[in-house]
Amino acid sequence: MEIVGTSVYLGPNLYANFRVIRHVVDLGELEQWPTGRLGERFCGDLVERLPGLAEHGCSYGEPGGFLRRLREDKGTWLGHVLEHVAIELQNVAGAEVSFGRTRSNGVPGQYDMVFEYEDEEVGLEAARLGIVLLHSLLPRELQPAGSVPEDFDFAQERDGFIKYAQRRTLGPSTAALVRAARARDVPCLRLNRYSLVQLGFGRYQKRIQATITSETRHIAVELASDKEETNRILGDLGLPVPRQELVYDETEAVRAANKVGYPVVMKPLDGNHGKGVSIGLTDDEQVRAAFDHARKRGRTIIVESFIEGFDHRMLVINGELVAVSRRVPGHVVGDGSKTVEQLVEETNRDPRRGVGHEKVLTRLEFDHQARRLMEQAGYRTDSVLPEGETLYLRSTGNLSTGGTATDMTDQVHPDNRDMAVRATRAIGLDIAGVDFLTSDISESWKVTGGAICEVNAAPGFRMHVAPSEGEPRNVADPVMDMLFPPGTPARVPIASITGTNGKTTTTRMVAHIFKMARHKVGVATTDGVYIDGRLTVEGDMTGPVAARMVLRDPAVDVAVLETARGGLLKRGMGYRRCDVGAVLNVTGDHLGLRGIDTIEDMARVKRIVIEAAKDTAVLNADDPLCLKMADYAEAEHLCYVTMNCTHPLVKEHIRAGGRAVVLEEGAGGEMITLYDNGAHMPLLWAHLIPATLEGRAVHNVQNAMFAAGITYSMGVKLEDIRQGLLTFDTTYFQVPGRMNIFTEHPFKVILDYGHNPAAVQAMVELVERMEPKGRRCVVLAAPGDRRDEDIVQIARVCAGRFDRYICRRDDVLRGRQPDEVPELLKRSLLEGEVPAEQIEVIPDEQLAVDAALRWGRPGDLVLVFGDAINRSWKQITGFSPDAAAPPGEEAEPRPAVPLRTPIVDLELEGQKLIRDDRGVRIAREVED
């Protein structure tokens, strides 16, 4: 069994609307060995190693369901077993995941194994360890060679995996805050491998790192880290604090201890989590030993008076005391028969104890501090502890070192509550953990005494969220109330736009409308990421990474995201949901790639955007595949777009109060009209939109209708939509590569990125409607990764509609031979009864464009389907018929065309580039 393919999805995808990993698992010989054939020994050994599998419901939907599947007569296949093992290993490491699905992918012995994850690397490692575990449980003769290390110890590997997961996953405090945020529908983005998390999108975002927040002041953290300064500030306000002395060497430490008076406490000036702390020191020798221990954690050491009493952590958030916990250092209690080591082992068997922050409590360990305290008490690890005697193995009650916590929130005296709040305000922290020693938290400090030992920035939440004893406290919600007060937004509006054709233009239209409505727009599209109209990252940015770039930018107040097929298939969406999802159309482009073989498969991919839409799903009612997506929409509103004003379904939808954008016939032309909740709202005449070329560019009429429907659904006023559409054109600077028209030559040139039959057909039909009706030339191409039938269809769409055809290839061949695509286009044109003399193959794009431009005469029109859009536009705008042709890569002579008045332009690599009086350029070998 091996993994032969992997996809990690960041958001909604083909398999779920949340994060999952998909492994393509090849069982090989094990396809013939389901669990029913492997027998009870295999199943029993597996459950013994992962007892939590007994809780998996599987298809039965109840605990024990998976074990039933394992032990049925035929059992289940190992790809399915691996799914559950990967989930359970993550559960063991503390992740809350449960979804999984395994199905045959049509290849014998191969399965698409899909499972949920919280951390990508942890999920991948869980699957890897799961395969090794399953192989180790197989009979020796079935184990693939080298698949199981000879020294494989699953218990050791499991603990190592847990520690690895703990290093990768969010700590308990950050995790509690993230859970609280998600419960309020506040989006969360992890910004690094540790605990830095963005809450909210765009301009509304806040950040947390553990319990440090966007509202935490740097100076307050600095003060809290300086224990001496904190002690002085609190003391100056009359708050109870112990006496302190700052020391730098051992001699000073002894002198300070005698000055303060024994017993004393010693700790690093800027330490945390109880590291380097020693308490209850009673003589000079203990002080010297404690100084050496503290010095490992910092250069400056504090000696302070020891305060008798219980250690209480008082959590203050946004000026209110929200939780109090009494902490007890890690310890064991003797029974008169077991050794200290046996008592520690027994304590660590408590299911609540785990590695690091894996569980509510942390396992006890024999380290330097534990051995020092045992020595002070006169015990060793093999000593038998008398019955009822408590042996402390830690000086402090930190949970991270094995301590326990008891909730005391309801017992706090009002004076102590006020004291904690005053101390926090004095330091200036938004979230603080006040460490207060007192014999009785229910009595006022003014009566019983006690002292504030520390005020901690970034206090841990684990002791409050999951105390060892007492009521758990919801301490994350007060933080959310502080960061996002009720009624304030956490998200910027998101429009997700997909479809086979028109998505870039529609995305640009929508962004332009918002820009004209005075918004700071973040846009992700095929030519880059734009923030407030400025290009920040260039390239095809239509996947989840680009979406997150936009959503992470603090300037953005609305996000318009082109969402392409490739990104959806590779990584899913980069966000959990959008406000408006739109599918413009679905045609047969990109078929045969990444397992998408039919147009119905493609529709299922595009439908992801509709399933993720929360407020409105905008659908092309004239496209049957889009229309069917309405059944899967969970958005509050459906908005249909139709260019057929008599569309029966849309008319019924409108009568029911639904939302629609309809192209209606009128005395002045075609009117784009909005319907919503019974209202009839004429927007504007289609021919007045510059991008429609007076209505001739029908595809842009439809794009404008989608832009109107999307922006209206996002709350843009009608007058702002009108203004946006009336000022949007198809210049290169507005929408590069989308119907860019250049009229500064004696002939017209149109540059377009059309690269599939539907896009090419739209442009061809536009050319036929344009004036004047002079000669027509097309520079034709197709991406190399398209199917032969798609390339043939592109040629057939053009056949018979032009006077000249120049066939080229893209710079990137995508698996094709250098001349394969242009030659296939040529053959298809010939089969379409295009005369051979009208067809020319010029593989290089620059040479092909130059030939077309030199062919042009006054009144002609040249349609260029470009690949390198920037380069082609510069070539078109900078063209001069008297200038030398660009250097090319062409070495082979091209087919001869009858020439009139041949003129030699230049010699290039053993060829003459010559043109006739029509400007047609042909390469001819130079004669000796």
Side-chain angles (χ1 to χ4, degrees):
M1 178 168 52
E2 62 176 336
I3 295 171
V4 296
T6 298
S7 298
V8 180
Y9 297 101
L10 303 179
N13 54 81
L14 278 173
Y15 307 98
N17 66 351
F18 44 82
R19 297 176 298 181
V20 294
I21 292 172
R22 178 184 69 93
H23 283 317
V24 179
V25 180
D26 191 335
L27 296 187
E29 180 186 358
L30 296 176
E31 171 73 1
Q32 309 304 320
W33 288 87
T35 57
R37 187 178 179 189
L38 288 170
E40 177 57 34
R41 179 175 178 179
F42 173 86
C43 299
D45 288 349
L46 175 61
V47 177
E48 179 184 344
R49 285 158 178 76
L50 289 173
L53 290 173
E55 299 301 315
H56 290 213
C58 199
S59 56
Y60 288 102
E62 60 184 17
F66 175 63
L67 298 192
R68 288 175 61 185
R69 289 293 309 277
L70 275 180
R71 293 178 166 124
E72 288 172 348
D73 289 342
K74 291 185 178 179
T76 188
W77 274 260
L78 290 184
H80 180 213
V81 177
L82 177 60
E83 166 206 320
H84 284 269
V85 169
I87 291 170
E88 180 57 25
L89 281 171
Q90 292 181 87
N91 293 158
V92 167
E96 296 180 4
V97 296
S98 58
F99 173 81
R101 193 185 80 180
T102 301
R103 300 287 186 275
S104 172
N105 65 7
V107 177
Q110 284 193 5
Y111 295 82
D112 284 337
M113 190 270 285
V114 178
F115 61 95
E116 186 180 1
Y117 72 93
E118 284 187 357
D119 179 89
E120 176 179 333
E121 296 300 324
V122 172
L124 293 172
E125 179 62 17
R128 186 204 65 80
L129 178 58
I131 287 181
V132 180
L133 170 62
L134 294 178
H135 283 164
S136 73
L137 301 178
L138 294 172
R140 180 74 64 178
E141 62 272 15
L142 291 179
Q143 292 180 6
S147 64
V148 182
E150 290 190 8
D151 58 348
F152 179 72
D153 181 334
F154 176 69
Q156 182 177 339
E157 292 289 333
R158 179 201 59 210
D159 288 351
F161 170 73
I162 292 172
K163 291 178 180 178
Y164 172 78
Q166 289 300 317
R167 292 194 299 270
R168 295 282 313 178
T169 55
L170 297 173
S173 301
T174 311
L177 290 172
V178 168
R179 283 194 297 271
R182 288 177 174 158
R184 297 180 178 213
D185 199 28
V186 174
C188 306
L189 290 176
R190 189 171 182 177
L191 303 182
N192 64 9
R193 292 179 56 187
Y194 306 101
S195 293
L196 182 61
V197 176
Q198 175 182 315
L199 305 178
F201 286 152
R203 64 175 294 193
Y204 302 118
Q205 66 180 269
K206 304 289 185 180
R207 291 181 182 176
I208 59 170
Q209 183 158 316
T211 56
I212 296 289
T213 78
S214 303
E215 310 305 307
T216 305
R217 298 173 184 172
H218 177 73
I219 190 171
V221 176
E222 289 294 308
L223 286 175
S225 300
D226 189 331
K227 293 176 173 55
E228 181 193 32
E229 195 64 33
T230 297
N231 181 276
R232 186 187 63 77
I233 290 173
L234 299 184
D236 288 348
L237 292 176
L239 293 169
V241 292
R243 290 185 60 191
Q244 280 189 350
E245 292 286 335
L246 215 60
V247 300
Y248 299 93
D249 60 41
E250 185 179 291
T251 302
E252 288 183 355
V254 172
R255 187 182 302 119
N258 284 277
K259 180 179 177 181
V260 169
Y262 288 109
V264 296
V265 174
M266 188 171 295
K267 57 189 176 184
L269 175 66
D270 54 357
N272 55 37
H273 297 295
K275 295 175 181 177
V277 178
S278 300
I279 66 172
L281 308 177
T282 57
D283 58 43
D284 294 357
E285 193 59 37
Q286 289 181 10
V287 166
R288 291 188 179 94
F291 180 86
D292 290 340
H293 179 55
R295 193 61 182 269
K296 295 175 182 177
R297 298 290 178 177
R299 299 183 60 185
T300 306
I301 310 302
I302 287 177
V303 177
E304 69 179 22
S305 56
F306 176 69
I307 306 297
E308 293 284 351
F310 294 107
D311 179 10
H312 296 85
R313 167 59 62 84
M314 310 180 76
L315 182 65
V316 178
I317 298 174
N318 199 28
E320 292 186 14
L321 182 71
V322 299
V324 177
S325 182
R326 183 175 67 201
R327 301 185 295 179
V328 179
H331 64 278
V332 292
V333 179
D335 62 1
S337 62
K338 296 186 181 68
T339 65
V340 172
E341 185 173 13
Q342 290 171 332
L343 290 170
V344 168
E345 290 176 356
E346 185 178 78
T347 300
N348 284 341
R349 282 196 289 271
D350 184 337
R352 296 177 300 169
R353 291 189 182 269
V355 179
H357 295 298
E358 171 199 357
K359 296 185 178 179
V360 174
L361 299 174
T362 301
R363 294 175 184 173
L364 296 174
E365 294 182 0
F366 289 112
D367 60 4
H368 166 80
Q369 188 174 139
R371 296 183 185 281
R372 179 179 63 81
L373 291 173
M374 282 194 299
E375 184 179 337
Q376 287 180 2
Y379 293 114
R380 301 193 307 267
T381 56
D382 59 354
S383 300
V384 174
L385 200 62
E387 184 175 0
E389 182 170 335
T390 299
L391 175 63
Y392 288 100
L393 300 175
R394 280 292 179 275
S395 300
T396 61
N398 297 77
L399 267 67
S400 58
T401 56
T404 58
T406 301
D407 179 72
M408 303 293 290
T409 307
D410 295 334
Q411 284 77 45
V412 179
H413 190 279
D415 285 348
N416 298 338
R417 181 181 298 271
D418 179 65
M419 172 204 67
V421 171
R422 286 185 62 207
T424 300
R425 286 177 175 163
I427 302 304
L429 289 167
D430 58 334
I431 302 175
V434 179
D435 289 342
F436 179 55
L437 290 173
T438 182
S439 57
D440 189 350
I441 196 70
S442 66
E443 296 290 332
S444 171
W445 66 271
K446 299 174 184 178
V447 175
T448 61
I452 298 173
C453 298
E454 295 180 9
V455 177
N456 297 280
F461 282 0
R462 181 164 61 146
M463 69 188 76
H464 308 295
V465 173
S468 314
E469 298 178 30
E471 180 182 348
R473 299 291 170 173
N474 182 355
V475 296
D477 274 356
V479 178
M480 291 299 108
D481 288 337
M482 176 183 70
L483 296 177
F484 301 100
T488 60
R491 296 173 176 269
V492 297
I494 301 173
S496 183
I497 302 167
T498 193
T500 305
N501 294 305
K503 24 181 210 303
T504 299
T505 300
T506 303
T507 297
R508 293 282 200 151
M509 282 182 173
V510 171
H512 181 72
I513 291 169
F514 274 112
K515 178 71 173 175
M516 297 301 291
R518 295 167 295 283
H519 286 276
K520 292 189 180 297
V521 190
V523 181
T525 187
T526 50
D527 57 325
V529 170
Y530 294 80
I531 304 298
D532 196 24
R534 294 181 176 85
L535 179 64
T536 60
V537 181
E538 189 173 1
D540 187 347
M541 306 298 288
T542 55
V545 173
R548 291 190 171 189
M549 284 184 189
V550 170
L551 298 174
R552 286 177 58 175
D553 196 294
V556 169
D557 64 14
V558 62
V560 183
L561 307 174
E562 181 179 347
T563 308
R565 163 211 62 92
L568 291 172
L569 286 172
K570 293 175 186 176
R571 300 281 273 170
M573 295 176 70
Y575 41 95
R576 185 70 178 267
R577 67 171 177 82
C578 54
D579 295 273
V580 175
V583 180
L584 312 187
N585 45 61
V586 182
T587 63
D589 191 20
H590 295 283
L591 298 182
L593 301 174
R594 300 187 68 87
I596 304 303
D597 299 315
T598 69
I599 194 169
E600 289 75 20
D601 289 342
M602 185 62 71
R604 195 159 56 94
V605 175
K606 305 289 186 184
R607 194 180 72 207
I608 295 170
V609 167
I610 297 302
E611 294 173 349
K614 181 179 182 182
D615 183 78
T616 305
V618 184
L619 293 168
N620 184 349
D622 301 329
D623 185 325
L625 290 171
C626 292
L627 206 53
K628 291 178 181 179
M629 296 180 190
D631 294 338
Y632 298 87
E634 297 183 1
E636 290 184 32
H637 304 280
L638 273 175
C639 178
Y640 289 119
V641 175
T642 180
M643 303 180 77
N644 174 12
C645 61
T646 64
H647 196 298
L649 185 145
V650 176
K651 290 177 69 175
E652 183 63 30
H653 179 68
I654 292 170
R655 279 195 292 268
R659 188 176 300 170
V661 185
V662 182
L663 190 65
E664 297 183 333
E665 295 287 346
E670 294 177 318
M671 172 67 71
I672 296 177
T673 306
L674 281 160
Y675 289 89
D676 187 33
N677 199 26
H680 173 259
M681 297 168 282
L683 186 65
L684 78 168
W685 299 108
H687 65 267
L688 296 180
I689 302 172
T692 69
L693 301 183
E694 299 181 337
R696 295 186 183 91
V698 177
H699 62 288
N700 268 355
V701 173
Q702 186 179 67
N703 292 338
M705 293 171 68
F706 268 99
I710 292 166
T711 51
Y712 175 81
S713 298
M714 297 176 77
V716 180
K717 297 178 181 178
L718 292 182
E719 53 266 35
D720 289 330
I721 299 174
R722 289 191 191 98
Q723 181 65 17
L725 292 177
L726 288 171
T727 55
F728 184 87
D729 57 31
T730 61
T731 61
Y732 171 78
F733 301 101
Q734 189 106 39
V735 275
R738 270 68 186 176
M739 206 174 72
N740 306 143
I741 301 176
F742 191 76
T743 59
E744 298 300 314
H745 298 316
F747 49 90
K748 280 185 181 177
V749 184
I750 302 177
L751 174 64
D752 193 85
Y753 185 61
H755 54 276
N756 59 64
V760 170
Q761 182 166 349
M763 292 306 302
V764 170
E765 291 175 353
L766 169 65
V767 167
E768 291 182 329
R769 289 190 288 268
M770 293 183 70
E771 299 290 343
K773 298 293 185 179
R775 299 183 307 162
R776 303 287 196 259
C777 173
V778 61
V779 177
L780 201 54
D785 60 356
R786 300 306 193 268
R787 302 175 303 172
D788 283 1
E789 53 262 45
D790 297 325
I791 298 174
V792 168
Q793 184 60 27
I794 286 174
R796 287 177 178 170
V797 165
C798 296
R801 291 171 155 177
F802 292 87
D803 302 292
R804 186 153 202 82
Y805 303 82
I806 299 177
C807 303
R808 65 162 189 85
R809 56 167 165 76
D810 289 349
D811 292 348
V812 179
L813 301 179
R814 304 190 188 192
R816 298 275 184 172
Q817 294 301 310
D819 292 351
E820 186 177 353
V821 168
E823 290 293 345
L824 178 55
L825 288 168
K826 178 183 176 180
R827 288 198 302 273
S828 302
L829 289 170
L830 291 172
E831 291 170 0
E833 299 183 353
V834 175
E837 59 269 19
Q838 292 183 1
I839 306 170
E840 186 174 6
V841 172
I842 307 179
D844 178 75
E845 183 176 47
Q846 294 182 77
L847 292 176
V849 172
D850 186 70
L853 296 175
R854 293 183 182 277
W855 178 86
R857 287 293 179 265
D860 291 350
L861 187 147
V862 175
L863 174 59
V864 177
F865 288 107
D867 176 42
I869 296 300
N870 292 349
R871 184 181 69 196
S872 295
W873 184 251
K874 290 178 182 179
Q875 187 176 355
I876 290 167
T877 57
F879 171 75
S880 171
D882 298 324
E889 302 172 358
E890 190 67 30
E892 296 296 325
R894 291 189 287 272
V897 173
L899 301 176
R900 298 194 299 274
T901 322
I903 304 171
V904 176
D905 278 348
L906 58 95
E907 291 189 8
L908 177 65
E909 295 182 358
Q911 294 181 337
K912 288 181 181 178
L913 291 180
I914 59 179
R915 60 184 174 84
D916 66 5
D917 55 1
R918 297 170 298 167
V920 179
R921 298 171 61 252
I922 297 297
R924 291 283 180 80
E925 292 184 2
V926 178
E927 298 178 0
D928 294 333

